[in-house]
Amino acid sequence: MVRFALARFGAAVFVLVSISVLVFLIFFATPGVDPAARIAGRNADQATLAQVQAEFGLDQPLPVRYALMMKHLFVDRDLTSFVNRGVLVIPQIVHAVPVTLSLVLGAAVLWMVVGVAMGTLAAAWRGRAADPLIVLVGVVGVSIPVYWLGEVVNLVTQSRLHDSVFSWVPPLGYVPLTQNPAQWALRLLFPWLTLAVLYAGIYARVLRSEMMGALDEDYVRTARAKGVSERRILIKHALRCSLIPIVSLFGLDFGALVGGSALLTEVVFGLPGVGRLTYTALQNLDLPVILGTVLYAAFFVVLSNALVDLVYAALDPRVRHV
Amino acid sequence: MTATADRKASEDSPAAPTPIPLAAVVTSPGPWGTALRQIRRNRSAMASLVVFFLILVVCLLAPFYASSIAHTDPFASNVAGTTVIGGQTVPVLAPSTTGLGLGVTPIGPTWDLTHYFLGSDGQGRDVMARLLYGGRNSLLIGFSAALLCCLLAGIIGVLAGYFGGVVDGVLSRLLDVVWAFPVYLLAISLSVVLLTSGVRIGPISIGAGSLWLPVLIIGIVYVPYVARPIRGQVMALKEKEFVAAAIGVGSSDLRIMRRDVVPNVAPTVVVFLPLMTALSMLTESALSFLSVGVQPPQASWGTIINDGLDLLYTRPAVTLAPGIAIALTAVVLNLFGDGVREALDPRARLRGAG
Amino acid sequence: MSSSRVRAGAAVGAAIALTLSACTSSPSPTATGTAGSGAADAAAPATFQTQHKGGDLKLLAKAAGGTLDPQVNYTLQYWQLYQAMYDGLLAFKKVNGQQSFTVVPDLAQALPTVSNGGKTYSFTLRKGVKFSNGQEVTVTDVAASFKRIFTVSSPTAGSFYSGIVGAAECVKTPATCDLSKGVVVDKGAGTVVINLIAPDPELKYKLSVPHASILPANSPPKDAGSTPIPTTGPYMIASYDPNTALTLVRNPSFTEWSHDAQPQGYSDTITESFGLTVEAAVTAVENGQADWVFDPPPADRLQEIGTKYANQAHINTLTAMWYLPMNHNLAPFDNVKARQAVNWAVDRNAVVKLYGGAKLAQPVCTFLPPGFPGHADDCQYTAGGGTTWTAPDLAKAKQLVQESGTAGMEVGIVTTDDEVNKSIGQYLQSLFTQLGWKATLKPISANIQFTYIQNTKNKVQISLSQWYQDYPAASDFLNVLTSCASFTPGSDSSINISGLCDKAHDATMQQALVTVRTDESAANAQWAAVDKQTMSDAVVAPLFTPKLIDFVSSRVGNYQFSKQFYMQVSQLWTK
């Protein structure tokens, strides 16, 4: 088990290093991306351009540039943006995390509650009219593009019906929980709902099929034969067993979302979280920030993957030979 | 023989632990036949298939619609153009005449199939005609990307699972890297590079702005989602007696893979195909929304949504129509995919992206 | 100023600006017919109006504008805010309209005395002015600030200030910069003498922009980034986070010394918040939750602003141009006929429509924008002739393409990927296809497009670009954008995007630069001739002169528009 954990850790480090190298190479392979001229300013003199290149180490060979950047990011922790000069990358990410966490946590509560309820009900009502209906609702949730739904929600709540039904909806943006809890919740309400629609659909579908499988298992038949009530079977046996894959799926999704995968939702609703930070950095081709956010995101994905793997390995020894 | 092999294979594989219902296997001529019969009985899957074909046919008729019904060129700007509504000639893009006279508004839906059924976009182009052309591209990209993804994933999954050791180590790490690189970030980063310079792999060269760029990008980013379960399945297969026996009698690797491994993982790949098509289509639209997907003047549902967002407050139809089209297509693909999955491999899972 | 962040702008001509008084809800056709402004722009009050003092001004911007360092930052967004914070020896007059192009003494007591054939400028420093940290501004600070332009590698160090004696070396090796002969100060007398290697009639402008701000002598010798530097003006920076907001508060050491150069501000605090989309920001201003949006309003909100909120919209013409630079060194635009074809073919009215309509832009076919020194009405590419543009001549354009033998060639159009630029790009792509070229559109990130199209290595044939003046002189357009000096093959900083390098052309421009020292109107006539020649060679295809909408909340009063630095933030009052 310890060897497995160590191997998993080694692999995780390898993945993070590869990603940083990859981002770095993609960046410098992009034509016109050299930030020196943008930093130097419009119509800068060639000598000024050369000065800036030297100052930012852009005249160094690629491996040296990479090493310098990693040193600034991890050793000195003073990596600064190429676009907002003098602005440190790490504090920017640290400031963005609470926003993303607020969005993802709220949405996660919603989608878990709704998704589990829908999945369980669909399984319970299998063969009745309600089952395909719930399935359909779930599929629709999965099939609507998130950003489109967000834009339509904005259109309705901020403009079309803003004078009547939705006059209580505050403008887009984020208010910290510590500053005004009511505004925090109110402003996040529609982002939560929008993000939850997608995931509730996914979870309902997965849970339904897991429970269908579980209901066919021998132990359920045994329980039934013993005269245990259907409701008890459903909750105590089928749901409990089916929740294990759901929880692992949740681990993966949660990790990815906290890492910035809620990018589209954050962009559409103007939430200054990690996803939007990454998006702006990509738009500005601000390499230090891109590197910082992508590594941060990858860290969470790798972490959640490793945790899920470890849990599985603890439960099922066959998985251990990686 | 193959039927039993299939059953055994799927029984213990971590990715697909539930066997095909026993009754179906016993009475059927083969797993594919069984699956086909099961799907035919699945009403929602069949209804979805019909709707999907309707969408496909309507989209394929795009050139006919544009040239013979709407008489418009959906790729040419018509900024100064006019059209006739209710006997009156009006500009397609009408400058505001009230107040300060700021802004220019495209004409809204006429609900008349012969011109500007859904109104015009910011370039004075017929949105209905673009919607149909866009549908062709969205479907083409969705399907091609899914095919590419499943193909790559199949190859990587089988190689990694079968050979294990160093091959598996290298391929798995590669998958880990792609997996941990957030989908949109990878797609956007790749797009930024590729859009300016295009890509050249040996003799194949894809120009900047080509439709095949989003196909390539989407096809690659989802490989781990499909390759991982396949790898697991192949690893489990290798432990089975019939494969072990084949190795024992000295059959060549190629022969074992062709005879015993590929036929067993093929159903999993097929299960993924419609679901991946829906996912790829949604991803394409998201990329176009971030302006890194299909490039103008080409259309896809995502680019039309993106064009329409600039007109959202005045002409919401431009955004709403392609959004509904994407959602509808994704719904029928997902429902059909569920049907296929239930028929072939009831427990295959697919992650979403948000 | 960084062009990528600027879009619309607009200029009320001097006449209108100075005479309009009452608020009107409908556009009144103005005497010059250049612009209608919804809300009337009152003439600047001659003195501070104490009754309006106080309140918090809330500004919004999509994103932050980068470093706070006034000697490094080159964005309009912060240059506009610096007006209320930093001062140079000279300043552009902070008033409404055409007068705002006038240079007045700021930290200097009076305009400089020029001697030595235009090579020596002598100033006397104003006494008693203090930085926001309480220190008095001395000639030592002035000398240090000029040196700092080079030690921080200011964007304009080479282009604006290298004419100072000793500066050329400073640009190359900032570490050993020695300006002791170029900027000579006398502590006892409080005088500053600037020595140039050659006469520079534009020096007064160059000393009035933020890069020539006077900062404390102990300011860091590198880009200060997000750390504020003490100010001399009515406001100083209290806090800055590029992801949330920039906050200005009153400078406790400030007392008004010249109402023209640096007037007292009205609001107690000024906050520019970042992060909302422009759509959301416009909504916030409509609902009175914010007072002003830096970014131009999106196209689908214009009509609403022009009708429901006409009283809150201010439209001003900018001295700027949107144009298509065509690469002289690459087919098909190495052929003059191909370049002329583009000029004949582009329907400026269509492009104006895509920009937001005729009220927001004016079609042009000269290099120098209307109202700019050296501009003379002239149009060589309009159907039916005339001195202003009326309609395209597609037939002529097609014929020229055939004659040039370039039909069937591939033409790549590089634009930025934002809404307006991309839509103009799509129009051009469609148009070029009609002309007989195989046109493709490459919309790329706004942040790299500007440097991408400059570098000859990227082999850009034609692009859509913008040029916004740094200061009101014809050379800032023609000399900067078409001279050999601005063309450096293989460099990302080669602002002569067309890549034209013609000795005779350069010589005529040098001639005009010499004439301007003695006779401004003769120089303007020479520039007009250069403009005409440039257009017959079709070096570029000018499209239109943009106008700017400032959309303010209903509580805001005293809107003043400087043609140099746009809306004067410190002069808005909310009480």
Side-chain angles (χ1 to χ4, degrees):
Chain A
M1 191 66 200
V2 173
R3 235 194 93 219
F4 175 74
L6 278 178
R8 210 66 201 74
F9 178 75
V13 171
F14 169 81
V15 166
L16 290 177
V17 172
S18 314
I19 285 178
S20 66
V21 173
L22 203 63
V23 170
F24 195 81
L25 290 180
I26 289 179
F27 182 84
F28 281 106
T30 308
V33 83
D34 184 347
R38 285 182 282 143
I39 296 169
R42 188 173 78 158
N43 191 21
D45 190 86
Q46 300 308 317
T48 310
L49 193 62
Q51 283 304 324
V52 170
Q53 266 165 345
E55 190 191 327
F56 280 75
L58 293 164
D59 51 352
Q60 306 277 347
L62 274 180
V64 179
R65 266 187 253 175
Y66 175 78
L68 271 177
M69 198 161 270
M70 287 296 130
K71 179 172 162 284
H72 280 303
L73 183 58
F74 291 110
V75 182
D76 305 336
R77 302 213 199 99
D78 65 347
L79 187 65
T80 55
S81 153
F82 279 169
V83 175
N84 292 304
R85 286 172 77 179
V87 174
L88 297 174
V89 172
I90 295 172
Q92 266 188 297
I93 298 177
V94 171
H95 285 153
V97 170
V99 184
T100 303
L101 267 181
S102 304
L103 170 68
V104 176
L105 275 175
V109 170
L110 273 175
W111 93 59
M112 281 306 266
V113 170
V114 175
V116 169
M118 275 170 61
T120 314
L121 287 177
W125 291 334
R126 145 166 92 151
R128 283 192 253 166
D131 174 24
L133 207 67
I134 293 176
V135 171
L136 187 68
V137 170
V139 170
V140 169
V142 177
S143 304
I144 298 178
V146 178
Y147 66 91
W148 180 82
L149 183 63
E151 292 285 1
V152 173
V153 164
N154 280 346
L155 174 69
V156 173
T157 60
Q158 297 287 336
S159 165
R160 285 294 189 267
L161 298 178
H162 190 68
D163 295 334
S164 51
V165 189
F166 290 111
S167 55
W168 51 274
V169 179
L172 301 180
Y174 177 76
V175 173
L177 177 65
T178 48
Q179 191 184 318
N180 185 339
Q183 274 293 315
W184 172 81
L186 213 53
R187 289 193 185 213
L188 282 168
L189 181 62
F190 284 104
W192 282 339
L193 288 170
T194 306
L195 191 57
V197 163
L198 167 70
Y199 284 92
I202 296 177
Y203 282 64
R205 287 171 83 199
V206 173
L207 185 64
R208 176 181 169 274
S209 70
E210 291 289 341
M211 286 185 69
M212 297 289 210
L215 286 173
D216 284 335
E217 297 284 344
D218 291 341
Y219 65 86
V220 171
R221 284 184 210 153
T222 318
R224 238 183 229 138
K226 279 190 194 159
V228 180
S229 79
E230 268 304 307
R231 172 180 300 200
R232 207 180 147 76
I233 288 174
L234 198 71
I235 306 291
K236 280 223 79 153
H237 298 278
L239 181 59
R240 248 173 57 182
C241 299
S242 308
L243 276 182
I244 296 168
I246 290 284
V247 168
S248 70
L249 187 60
F250 179 80
L252 296 178
D253 284 335
F254 194 79
L257 285 174
V258 170
S261 288
L263 180 137
L264 293 171
T265 314
E266 288 181 10
V267 169
V268 168
F269 288 103
L271 300 171
V274 183
R276 217 195 52 145
L277 182 65
T278 319
Y279 173 71
T280 354
L282 278 166
Q283 294 243 305
N284 291 336
L285 291 163
D286 189 354
L287 177 64
V289 183
I290 298 177
L291 210 57
T293 51
V294 169
L295 279 181
Y296 162 87
F299 172 75
F300 273 95
V301 174
V302 169
L303 181 74
S304 54
N305 263 296
L307 284 179
V308 168
D309 279 2
L310 281 175
V311 170
Y312 262 102
L315 297 175
D316 182 357
R318 281 179 305 175
V319 188
R320 272 180 222 167
H321 54 170
V322 191
Chain B
M1 166 67 205
T2 34
T4 31
D6 273 339
R7 249 196 72 217
K8 283 192 171 166
S10 52
E11 246 167 9
D12 289 304
S13 110
T18 306
I20 292 164
L22 201 62
V25 177
V26 173
T27 56
S28 79
W32 297 105
T34 319
L36 207 63
R37 272 177 35 193
Q38 248 203 318
I39 286 192
R40 280 215 202 110
R41 279 203 302 266
N42 185 335
R43 266 194 247 151
S44 80
M46 289 321 286
S48 302
L49 197 62
V50 171
V51 175
F52 179 74
F53 273 111
L54 276 178
I55 296 173
L56 190 67
V57 168
V58 169
C59 288
L60 287 177
L61 285 176
F64 171 75
Y65 175 80
S67 63
S68 305
I69 299 177
H71 305 287
T72 176
D73 177 353
F75 302 110
S77 301
N78 189 19
V79 182
T82 56
T83 189
V84 178
I85 293 176
Q88 278 188 318
T89 304
V90 293
V92 176
L93 299 182
S96 167
T97 51
T98 50
L100 297 177
L102 303 180
V104 173
T105 311
I107 57 168
T110 59
W111 306 120
D112 171 359
L113 274 174
T114 58
H115 66 297
Y116 295 107
F117 180 74
L118 288 172
S120 141
D121 68 2
Q123 293 278 316
R125 299 173 298 206
D126 188 317
V127 173
M128 185 64 195
R130 280 180 73 75
L131 188 72
L132 299 185
Y133 272 102
R136 292 205 315 180
N137 283 341
S138 284
L139 291 170
L140 178 72
I141 291 171
F143 187 70
S144 313
L147 204 63
L148 178 71
C149 173
C150 289
L151 206 69
L152 284 176
I155 294 170
I156 292 177
V158 167
L159 290 180
Y162 184 81
F163 288 108
V166 181
V167 177
D168 180 36
V170 170
L171 290 175
S172 290
R173 292 296 83 74
L174 201 70
L175 291 181
D176 281 351
V177 171
V178 179
W179 174 285
F181 209 121
V183 172
Y184 288 118
L185 305 195
L186 182 57
I188 294 173
S189 329
L190 280 176
S191 307
V192 171
V193 183
L194 299 181
L195 284 180
T196 39
S197 52
V199 67
R200 190 179 294 273
I201 310 163
I204 310 159
S205 145
I206 302 177
S210 158
L211 276 187
W212 296 105
L213 275 184
V215 170
L216 193 69
I217 292 165
I218 298 166
I220 288 173
V221 295
Y222 285 123
V223 163
Y225 293 75
V226 184
R228 286 185 159 194
I230 292 177
R231 167 178 165 274
Q233 208 181 344
V234 175
M235 276 169 65
L237 260 177
K238 249 185 97 180
E239 315 271 302
K240 295 285 161 273
E241 299 91 0
F242 68 95
V243 179
I247 295 171
V249 298
S251 300
S252 75
D253 289 335
L254 202 67
R255 191 182 151 88
I256 299 171
M257 274 195 270
R258 207 185 65 221
R259 291 268 316 256
D260 300 315
V261 178
V262 172
N264 278 299
V265 294
T268 312
V269 175
V270 170
V271 164
F272 272 113
L273 204 55
L275 303 172
M276 286 308 296
T277 305
L279 187 58
S280 303
M281 229 181 61
L282 288 169
T283 309
E284 184 279 318
S285 84
L287 288 182
S288 293
F289 167 71
L290 301 170
S291 348
V292 288
V294 172
Q295 294 303 305
Q298 287 287 335
S300 77
W301 284 335
T303 57
I304 302 173
I305 291 181
N306 195 17
D307 292 345
L309 286 179
D310 301 331
L311 303 166
L312 189 63
Y313 285 75
T314 44
R315 294 285 175 246
V318 186
T319 303
L320 293 179
I324 292 168
I326 291 179
L328 182 66
T329 314
V331 164
V332 296
L333 277 169
N334 275 317
L335 285 177
F336 178 67
D338 282 353
V340 175
R341 182 173 55 185
E342 270 164 39
L344 277 173
D345 183 356
R347 285 240 187 140
R349 283 187 215 124
L350 190 65
R351 283 161 48 85
Chain C
M1 282 158 272
S2 157
S3 59
S4 63
R5 286 189 189 270
V6 193
R7 190 185 108 204
V12 174
I16 327 159
L18 295 174
T19 54
L20 283 185
S21 52
C23 283
T24 50
S25 58
S26 61
S28 44
T30 56
T32 54
T34 52
S37 178
D41 304 336
T47 54
F48 188 69
Q49 307 286 301
T50 319
Q51 72 272 25
H52 291 296
K53 189 179 173 184
D56 302 320
L57 190 66
K58 290 180 226 153
L59 316 178
L60 296 174
K62 202 163 70 181
T67 171
L68 286 181
D69 197 321
Q71 294 195 310
V72 178
N73 195 296
Y74 202 12
T75 65
L76 172 70
Q77 188 177 359
Y78 284 0
W79 276 32
Q80 194 171 19
L81 296 177
Y82 291 151
Q83 294 312 303
M85 294 192 277
Y86 294 101
D87 296 276
L89 291 171
L90 305 174
F92 284 97
K93 205 170 169 181
K94 293 188 177 62
V95 291
N96 207 11
Q98 196 71 23
Q99 278 293 305
S100 55
F101 277 153
T102 314
V103 171
V104 294
D106 191 355
L107 290 178
Q109 278 180 358
L111 289 175
T113 48
V114 184
S115 55
N116 190 18
K119 291 199 284 188
T120 300
Y121 284 67
S122 309
F123 300 86
T124 306
L125 193 66
R126 211 179 276 275
K127 288 191 178 62
V129 178
K130 284 180 176 165
F131 286 112
S132 52
N133 60 8
Q135 285 173 9
E136 187 163 337
V137 180
T138 65
V139 289
T140 317
D141 297 315
V142 176
S145 298
F146 276 98
K147 188 175 164 187
R148 192 171 180 275
I149 292 176
F150 303 97
T151 50
V152 298
S153 290
S154 177
T156 53
S159 46
F160 282 11
Y161 307 106
S162 59
I164 299 174
V165 174
E169 287 70 39
C170 289
V171 173
K172 286 197 191 79
T173 50
T176 59
C177 179
D178 176 17
L179 277 185
S180 58
K181 296 205 174 60
V183 181
V184 184
V185 298
D186 181 332
K187 282 181 199 165
T191 57
V192 179
V193 176
I194 296 177
N195 293 310
L196 301 179
I197 46 174
D200 179 0
E202 287 156 15
L203 185 72
K204 59 178 178 184
Y205 299 133
K206 296 170 182 173
L207 294 181
S208 306
V209 298
H211 289 163
S213 295
I214 305 304
L215 308 175
N218 60 0
S219 300
K222 61 183 180 66
D223 179 2
S226 54
T227 318
I229 296 177
T231 66
T232 43
Y235 295 95
M236 61 179 194
I237 295 159
S239 66
Y240 180 47
D241 174 359
N243 287 308
T244 48
L246 170 63
T247 310
L248 311 185
V249 295
R250 286 192 184 277
N251 167 4
S253 312
F254 178 80
T255 46
E256 190 176 281
W257 62 79
S258 160
H259 193 73
D260 278 346
Q262 189 54 283
Q264 175 64 284
Y266 287 100
S267 309
D268 285 339
T269 65
I270 298 173
T271 312
E272 186 159 298
S273 304
F274 313 117
L276 276 194
T277 60
V278 189
E279 290 279 4
V282 168
T283 310
V285 173
E286 286 175 355
N287 298 340
Q289 294 150 330
D291 295 310
W292 175 74
V293 189
F294 168 73
D295 312 88
D300 66 338
R301 304 300 285 277
L302 289 174
Q303 189 165 14
E304 181 186 39
I305 291 172
T307 50
K308 266 169 93 176
Y309 302 96
N311 287 337
Q312 293 162 236
H314 300 264
I315 303 171
N316 293 285
T317 303
L318 300 179
T319 38
M321 73 165 163
W322 281 53
Y323 71 113
L324 308 173
M326 293 177 269
N327 194 331
H328 275 57
N329 307 309
L330 268 186
F333 300 116
D334 54 352
N335 187 318
V336 66
K337 285 186 175 168
R339 300 196 298 266
Q340 286 171 335
V342 171
N343 267 295
W344 281 110
V346 176
D347 182 352
R348 268 76 166 176
N349 279 339
V351 178
V352 161
K353 242 182 180 180
L354 294 173
Y355 183 76
K359 294 282 161 59
L360 284 182
Q362 184 186 350
V364 287
C365 47
T366 54
F367 206 99
L368 296 167
F372 207 66
H375 171 88
D377 276 347
D378 178 47
C379 195
Q380 300 168 46
Y381 305 101
T382 179
T387 56
T388 54
W389 188 88
T390 47
D393 190 335
L394 213 54
K396 189 145 196 163
K398 281 182 182 161
Q399 187 196 336
L400 280 166
V401 171
Q402 291 307 321
E403 286 172 15
S404 70
T406 60
M409 276 190 188
E410 289 192 15
V411 174
I413 308 156
V414 180
T415 70
T416 58
D417 62 0
D418 59 291
E419 174 195 348
V420 174
N421 281 276
K422 200 159 81 178
S423 71
I424 294 176
Q426 293 196 55
Y427 162 74
L428 293 171
Q429 196 257 354
S430 184
L431 177 73
F432 290 178
T433 310
Q434 252 181 296
L435 290 183
W437 290 315
K438 275 191 211 131
T440 53
L441 177 62
K442 289 186 193 174
I444 61 178
S445 164
N447 232 284
I448 59 169
Q449 193 253 7
F450 188 59
T451 48
Y452 183 84
I453 57 176
Q454 292 181 50
N455 198 326
T456 50
K457 282 186 205 151
N458 297 325
K459 302 203 182 337
V460 174
Q461 293 160 300
I462 186 168
S463 52
L464 173 59
S465 195
Q466 296 87 25
W467 185 253
Y468 289 76
Q469 62 137 56
D470 292 298
Y471 48 78
S475 67
D476 189 40
F477 270 76
L478 282 164
N479 198 32
V480 170
L481 297 179
T482 66
S483 67
C484 295
S486 306
F487 179 52
T488 312
S491 168
D492 276 351
S493 185
S494 171
I495 195 66
N496 179 349
I497 303 167
S498 301
L500 168 81
C501 182
D502 181 80
K503 294 267 154 54
H505 178 73
D506 266 23
T508 50
M509 291 197 291
Q510 284 308 318
Q511 184 60 45
L513 279 170
V514 171
T515 312
V516 78
R517 286 181 220 155
T518 49
D519 185 347
E520 203 156 324
S521 61
N524 282 345
Q526 284 176 350
W527 282 119
V530 173
D531 190 338
K532 192 163 186 144
Q533 183 57 43
T534 310
M535 285 320 300
S536 358
D537 289 345
V539 176
V540 301
L543 299 177
F544 59 84
T545 308
K547 300 180 190 183
L548 178 85
I549 303 184
D550 278 314
F551 181 46
V552 296
S553 69
S554 55
R555 67 175 188 152
V556 162
N558 199 34
Y559 174 91
Q560 306 290 334
F561 184 83
S562 155
K563 297 198 75 156
Q564 182 65 30
F565 299 115
Y566 305 176
M567 183 184 83
Q568 292 178 39
V569 175
S570 71
Q571 294 308 293
L572 293 183
W573 64 52
T574 55
K575 284 190 177 255

